[in-house]
Amino acid sequence: MKVLIIGGGGREHALAWAIAKSPLLSELVCAPGNAGMAEIARCVALDAADHEAVIAFCRDEKIDYVVIGPETPLVAGLVDDLKRAGIEGFGPSAAAARLEGSKGFTKELCRENDIPTAEYGRFFDAASATRYIERVGAPVVVKADGLAAGKGVTVAMTTDAALSAIDDIFAGKFGQAGASLVIEEYLTGEEASFFALVDGRNILPLATAQDHKRVGDGDHGPNTGGMGACSPAPVMSDAICRTAMDEIIRPTVRALAEAGTPYSGVLYAGLMITEDGPKLIEYNVRFGDPECQVLMMRLKDDILKLMLAATRGGLDKMSVHWREAAALTVVMAAKGYPGSYKKGSEIRGLAEAGADENVMIFHAGTARADGRLVAAGGRVLDVTARGATVAEAQRRAYASIDRIDWPEGFCRRDIGWRAVAREQAGGAS
Ligand code: AMP
């Protein structure tokens, strides 16, 4: 089968790498892809926001299946438009993608179905949002309703910070995504991610992961798209995974099916493991980036076959197998990220750095210029390693990074610290 992957980050390189191993695949095309994906697939320029162009391309090229990496095309209804054109796509419809596209929608769904999550209020104007803040005080979390590239959330430790976040949102900082907002109770605990495949009705739990959003060691500094991740997340014991399935994932999938908007694709729950058990922080309707890289590194099965079962139904007849081992990925970014950074600096030494069979270097923002590999984005490489433990995977990833010759790049040196600490304390895995 001929597959088109939409996207060009580390997540999509990991998906391409995993899909390329499938016996079902005849040809792999990526749009736009990156320099790493170009080594295993044909890369083409295609605007994912132009659904008609994507459909025309699929028809010309006889694409059988479209795998959509990022959330924006899913929320914009690319899967629905492909379906109308008779083309299968991996991911939810626009109606089901509201789980990520509207925080207010998800909070209401949680309230109606008794799904554990932070207390909240939803507001369409600044005056009522302000009155709510004056009543509940700080710390509190203010979130723009729609997609804001991960920048729409303010964890406000003071009421002033909360009020200024409200002003920013209603002043149009996030455009239409800020037409309404959600104010949430501040939850404390350890965060972890839980992934499952869903075919509308059946749920196949995948695995857990933990990411690091802050740019600096010790989880300091500004938020980023993600500076690294590991899987499994030791905080997610079997008991907590069962509770997350029973109290959060299953009721969500059931509610969407009953509403006539069944969910299909990968469902990614961001959880806070509180003293009262797991609570939902947010849903994402696609794989995480960089969590996808560690999941693909651990997966033993044919990802394409699993994705097709999510699209066509039949996940109840599927099972999934993981390497017992852990995987960890460290993001190398261009100096200055998440602020301004330069593009075009040369990267050398990847062949030597990736020589270990337990290491894969996924590309994110890379390109070729006159045969040289150069940085072409903020997050540039995802150095991913397997190990018997998270600690071993961590050692391998950093040993590989130390062989990469890229003076204009940087990375955190402590990815996986929570998982390693739990491992060393003898916690669950
Ligand atoms: P979100 O985009 O909703 O995942 O929020 C981004 C980050 O903000 C999360 O990964 C958490 O670290 C933090 N956050 C979001 N909601 C809450 C909450 N209710 N309590 C504490 N932290 C939160």
Side-chain angles (χ1 to χ4, degrees):
M1 109 182 308
K2 200 165 166 182
V3 175
L4 169 67
I5 298 180
I6 303 276
R11 165 181 52 209
E12 289 79 19
H13 187 189
L15 290 174
W17 174 75
I19 289 172
K21 293 188 277 189
S22 171
L24 300 174
L25 184 76
S26 59
E27 192 185 343
L28 187 58
V29 186
C30 301
N34 58 37
M37 294 164 84
E39 289 171 15
I40 52 171
R42 181 157 61 92
C43 294
V44 296
L46 197 55
D47 178 7
D50 184 348
H51 296 188
E52 286 313 310
V54 176
I55 290 167
F57 178 84
C58 291
R59 285 193 171 136
D60 283 354
E61 293 271 347
K62 301 201 164 37
I63 298 286
D64 299 296
Y65 194 48
V66 183
V67 173
I68 298 152
E71 61 278 15
T72 306
L74 294 167
V75 171
L78 182 54
V79 168
D80 310 66
D81 288 339
L82 286 167
K83 193 172 181 181
R84 272 193 285 277
I87 303 159
E88 288 182 304
F90 175 74
S93 64
R98 283 179 296 170
L99 281 185
E100 180 165 0
S102 168
K103 296 198 185 282
F105 171 82
T106 299
K107 297 302 283 189
E108 276 161 23
L109 184 137
C110 288
R111 184 173 280 168
E112 284 160 15
N113 294 278
D114 288 328
I115 294 170
T117 187
E119 291 298 325
Y120 78 103
R122 187 181 191 186
F123 302 96
F124 293 80
D125 66 89
S128 39
T130 302
R131 276 197 299 278
Y132 186 82
I133 293 287
E134 281 160 0
R135 184 158 69 75
V136 298
V140 74
V141 185
V142 180
K143 303 183 174 185
D145 184 72
L147 293 185
K151 299 188 176 71
V153 175
T154 301
V155 178
M157 299 316 282
T158 61
T159 48
D160 281 351
L163 295 176
S164 97
I166 291 169
D167 286 345
D168 282 350
I169 291 171
F170 285 124
K173 189 171 176 190
F174 304 107
Q176 262 309 103
S180 67
L181 58 76
V182 162
I183 302 176
E184 282 183 15
E185 165 200 11
Y186 173 75
L187 297 175
T188 52
E190 189 170 334
E191 281 183 64
S193 309
F194 185 89
F195 295 83
L197 286 174
V198 183
D199 70 2
R201 216 158 44 91
N202 303 296
I203 305 166
L204 182 63
L206 289 178
T208 62
Q210 208 159 31
D211 73 342
H212 296 267
K213 285 262 179 265
R214 303 297 187 108
V215 75
D217 284 7
D219 295 320
H220 294 299
N223 260 325
T224 68
M227 295 302 289
C230 63
S231 173
V235 68
M236 293 293 291
S237 63
D238 291 348
I240 292 180
C241 286
R242 266 197 306 278
T243 307
M245 273 295 285
D246 292 344
E247 296 186 1
I248 299 176
I249 309 286
R250 253 193 270 282
T252 301
V253 170
R254 195 183 312 122
L256 286 175
E258 282 170 3
T261 54
Y263 189 92
S264 151
V266 62
L267 184 57
Y268 156 10
L271 305 175
M272 185 73 85
I273 314 308
T274 71
E275 281 179 356
D276 304 326
K279 292 195 177 180
L280 181 73
I281 297 181
E282 62 160 356
Y283 272 128
N284 295 305
V285 298
R286 33 75 196 181
F287 282 107
D289 185 350
E291 292 92 331
C292 184
Q293 289 81 314
V294 284
L295 295 187
M296 292 307 115
M297 203 67 178
R298 290 185 58 217
L299 180 67
K300 284 187 180 170
D301 303 290
D302 179 346
I303 184 70
L304 185 53
K305 198 170 159 193
L306 289 167
M307 286 175 153
L308 285 165
T311 304
R312 296 173 178 173
L315 277 179
D316 50 330
K317 295 179 206 72
M318 308 284 281
S319 55
V320 66
H321 305 89
W322 302 94
R323 291 171 194 269
E324 285 299 312
L328 180 137
T329 188
V330 180
V331 172
M332 293 190 79
K335 280 181 185 164
Y337 175 81
S340 61
Y341 53 82
K342 286 202 205 98
K343 291 184 182 175
S345 55
E346 186 171 0
I347 303 163
R348 293 197 200 87
L350 288 200
E352 304 81 66
D356 183 337
E357 61 167 2
N358 288 305
V359 172
M360 249 317 285
I361 301 176
F362 295 115
H363 291 223
T366 62
R368 292 259 167 215
D370 307 324
R372 295 171 313 141
L373 183 69
V374 297
R379 294 192 297 165
V380 174
L381 297 170
D382 304 316
V383 181
T384 312
R386 275 191 293 260
T389 57
V390 178
E392 187 180 46
Q394 187 191 51
R395 269 195 304 280
R396 283 196 177 125
Y398 284 112
S400 169
I401 282 177
D402 291 338
R403 291 197 196 100
I404 296 176
D405 177 11
W406 182 32
E408 292 305 310
F410 77 98
C411 66
R412 279 181 59 162
R413 298 298 306 193
D414 65 345
I415 296 301
W417 67 268
R418 278 192 195 82
V420 170
R422 271 193 191 267
E423 246 174 28
Q424 284 165 356
S429 63

